[in-house]
């Protein structure tokens, strides 16, 4: 038998799962339990029981005096108890020796039986291996005969296939030659038709090209004329817009100067400089107005160096409830949304 088959018993199980091996393992387990139960230590002596005194009391009889056991009675009881324990221990040891001898005899018998079973199993395996080798040799002979037959059949099929392939190739070559001839005739015809179409298309394309060039020239001339007219109109519109802007700027400047003078006049009326003010003191303030003319914020941009002078200028700006501003929104946004003004005892600017 082959290597793998020798590792398996006739029942299809590995050798370590056979009944023989399991029996050996079981007896070994029993022997181990018996040895573990063997008492290897000297038995301990039990403590001496305490002596007991007792008396019997009966009615209408004189009460006897207490009876006390002799002093040496406990010693004799202890000796008897120890002797009894010694006999029991020797008897148990004798029983254990007998049990061990019997167990050893059973194990030897079991070992002989296992050895006999092993020899029978080996003989059976040798017989099976011989039969398997014979079957294997027969199978190989049959496979060889089948292989030779298959090779002969394959060679015959290959020969027939080669003859068929040769006939097919000859037929294919004949058809290919015929197809090539027809294709060549069709190609020459299609080539002639293609050249005729290309010539017609070339002539048509030439005609369309000339027509496009003519239209393009006309469109270019029209575009030049339109561009010239648009440029003239644009220049005219720019001149008008520049003139209007200049006039608008002059109007806004004139309007702003008028309202700036009104604001300086109103602030001059509302400002009361302190007595410590001198002509050299100047405070510059940045004023921000709302479109309604109301004061949004005021900020001291440059101090005069005198706190009372600066505060008087700030008080004058804040005292006006509404500033005079132009109605035109552009003029307001450009000149009066945010502006600066200088406070000096000699002038306001």
């Amino acid at each position: 038998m082959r290597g793998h088959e020798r590792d398996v018993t006739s029942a299809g199980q590995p050798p370590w799962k056979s009944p023989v091996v399991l029996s050996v393992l079981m007896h070994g387990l029993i022997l181990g339990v018996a040895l573990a139960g063997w008492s290897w230590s000297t038995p301990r002596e039990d403590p001496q029981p305490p002596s007991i005194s007792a008396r019997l009391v009966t009615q209408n009889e004189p009460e006897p005096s207490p009876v006390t056991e002799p002093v040496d009675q406990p010693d004799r009881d202890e000796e008897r108890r120890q002797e009894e324990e010694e006999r029991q221990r020797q008897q148990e040891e004798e029983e254990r020796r007998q049990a061990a001898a019997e167990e050893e005899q059973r194990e030897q018998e079991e070992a002989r039986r296992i050895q006999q079973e092993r020899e029978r199993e080996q003989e059976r395996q040798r017989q099976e291996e011989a039969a398997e080798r014979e079957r294997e040799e027969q199978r190989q002979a049959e496979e060889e005969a089948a292989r030779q037959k298959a090779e002969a059949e394959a060679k015959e099929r290959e020969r027939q296939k080669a003859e068929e392939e040769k006939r097919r190739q000859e037929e294919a070559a004949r058809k290919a030659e015929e197809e090539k001839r027809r294709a060549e005739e069709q190609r020459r015809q299609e080539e002639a038709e293609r050249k005729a179409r290309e010539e017609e298309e070339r002539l048509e394309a030439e005609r369309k090209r000339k027509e496009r060039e003519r239209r393009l020239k006309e469109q270019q001339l029209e575009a030049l004329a339109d561009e010239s007219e648009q440029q003239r109109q644009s220049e005219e519109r720019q001149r008008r817009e520049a003139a209007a802007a200049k006039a608008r700027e002059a109007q806004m400047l004139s309007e702003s100067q008028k309202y700036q003078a009104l604001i300086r006049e109103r602030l001059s009326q509302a400002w009361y400089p302190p007595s410590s003010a001198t002509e050299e003191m100047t405070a510059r303030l940045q004023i921000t107005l709302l479109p309604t003319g109301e004061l949004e914020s005021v900020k001291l941009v440059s101090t005069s160096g005198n706190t009372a002078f600066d505060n008087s200028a700030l008080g004058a700006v804040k005292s006006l409830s509404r500033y005079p501003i132009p109605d035109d929104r552009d003029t307001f946004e450009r000149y009066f949304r945010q502006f600066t003004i200088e406070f000096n005892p000699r002038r306001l600017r």
Side-chain angles (χ1 to χ4, degrees), residues 72-192:
D72 58 350
Q73 183 66 28
D75 295 337
R76 289 197 297 272
D77 292 342
E78 178 64 22
E79 290 177 359
R80 287 196 298 272
R81 186 183 63 77
Q82 291 180 357
E83 292 175 358
E84 181 66 24
E85 289 179 353
E86 180 64 20
R87 285 194 300 272
Q88 291 179 359
R89 186 182 62 77
Q90 292 177 358
Q91 182 178 356
E92 290 175 356
E93 289 180 356
E94 180 64 24
E95 291 176 354
R96 281 196 290 270
R97 284 194 296 272
Q98 292 178 0
E102 293 175 358
E103 180 65 23
E104 183 179 0
Q105 183 178 359
R106 284 196 299 271
E107 288 179 356
Q108 291 176 357
E109 292 176 355
E110 181 67 19
R112 287 194 296 273
R113 185 183 63 79
I114 291 172
Q115 180 64 24
Q116 292 174 0
E117 290 182 356
R118 185 180 297 111
E119 291 174 355
R120 288 196 297 271
E121 179 67 19
Q122 291 175 355
E123 178 63 24
R124 184 186 61 78
Q125 289 181 358
R126 285 194 294 272
Q127 293 176 0
E128 288 182 354
E129 290 175 358
E132 180 65 23
R133 284 194 296 272
E134 184 178 354
R135 288 194 296 270
E136 181 67 19
E137 291 174 356
Q138 183 178 358
R139 184 183 61 79
Q140 291 179 358
E142 292 175 354
E143 288 180 353
E144 180 65 20
R147 185 185 62 79
Q148 292 177 359
K149 181 180 178 182
E151 288 180 355
E153 292 176 352
K155 289 180 180 179
E156 179 62 21
R157 287 195 299 271
E158 189 68 24
R159 185 186 63 78
Q160 295 176 359
K161 183 178 180 181
E163 292 180 355
E164 181 66 24
E165 180 66 18
K166 182 178 179 181
R167 288 193 298 270
R168 188 187 64 78
Q169 290 178 357
E170 290 175 353
E171 182 66 20
R174 185 186 63 78
K175 290 181 178 180
E177 186 65 26
E178 182 66 20
E179 184 68 24
K180 182 179 179 181
R181 183 184 60 79
R182 287 198 300 268
E184 184 63 25
E185 291 179 356
Q186 184 177 358
R187 187 188 63 78
R188 286 196 296 269
Q189 183 179 357
E190 291 176 352
E191 182 68 18

Side-chain angles (χ1 to χ4, degrees), residues 236-252:
E236 182 64 24
R237 184 170 57 254
Q238 289 177 359
R239 283 195 297 272
R240 290 197 301 269
E241 290 175 354
K246 187 175 181 180
R248 174 69 174 167
E249 183 68 23
Q251 181 183 0
M252 290 173 62

Side-chain angles (χ1 to χ4, degrees), residues 1-10 13-16 121-122 124-126 128-130 132-133:
M1 293 179 69
R2 287 166 290 189
H4 176 69
E5 294 175 349
R6 287 196 298 270
D7 296 338
V8 180
T9 63
S10 60
Q13 296 180 344
W16 63 273
E121 179 67 19
Q122 291 175 355
R124 184 186 61 78
Q125 289 181 358
R126 285 194 294 272
E128 288 182 354
E129 290 175 358
E132 180 65 23
R133 284 194 296 272

Side-chain angles (χ1 to χ4, degrees), residues 118 141 174 203 303 340:
R118 185 180 297 111
R174 185 186 63 78
L203 295 175
T303 180
T340 59

Side-chain angles (χ1 to χ4, degrees), residues 314-339:
L314 291 170
V317 171
K318 295 178 181 178
S319 66
L320 297 182
S321 60
R322 188 179 299 273
Y323 283 75
I325 58 173
D327 296 333
D328 184 67
R329 185 61 178 267
D330 293 339
T331 305
F332 169 77
E333 293 291 339
R334 183 168 183 178
Y335 294 101
F336 297 99
R337 167 66 75 176
Q338 189 177 79
F339 60 92

Side-chain angles (χ1 to χ4, degrees), residues 207-221:
R207 185 186 64 79
K208 290 181 179 180
R209 184 185 62 78
K210 291 180 179 180
E211 180 67 19
R212 285 196 301 271
E213 289 178 354
R214 184 185 63 79
R215 290 181 180 178
L216 182 60
K217 288 181 180 179
E218 292 178 354
Q219 291 173 359
Q220 288 176 349
L221 292 175

